[in-house]
Amino acid sequence: MKPVLNRLRRAQGQLAAVIAMVESGQECEEVVTQLAAVSKALDRAGFKIVASGMRQCLGDDSGTPPMTQEKLEKLFLTLA
């Protein structure tokens, strides 16, 4: 989970920078470019969480029932 936390912290810093840019009246193009970077960082963190939790979602030796294919697909589509 450390890589996920690093991605989320990076996104948090980028978002703070975007907020500061909007507050200071930066050019729209620059704000949108940085906002796209934040969005991409969050997407990557989400996909990393799903990928690292795939074994758990599909069921493992912990005794928890596996996630249905429909529910797993819905989880992926939430990030899309």
Side-chain angles (χ1 to χ4, degrees), residues 55-66:
R55 182 178 302 146
Q56 182 182 18
C57 290
L58 294 175
D60 56 16
D61 296 333
S62 69
T64 57

Side-chain angles (χ1 to χ4, degrees), residues 1-15 37-38 40-42 44-46 48-49:
M1 279 290 144
K2 188 171 181 169
V4 172
L5 288 173
N6 288 340
R7 286 181 191 271
L8 290 173
R9 286 188 182 110
R10 188 177 311 123
Q12 184 179 30
Q14 289 173 315
L15 183 56
V38 173
K40 189 171 186 176
L42 290 173
R44 287 178 181 232
K48 185 79 170 171
I49 289 169

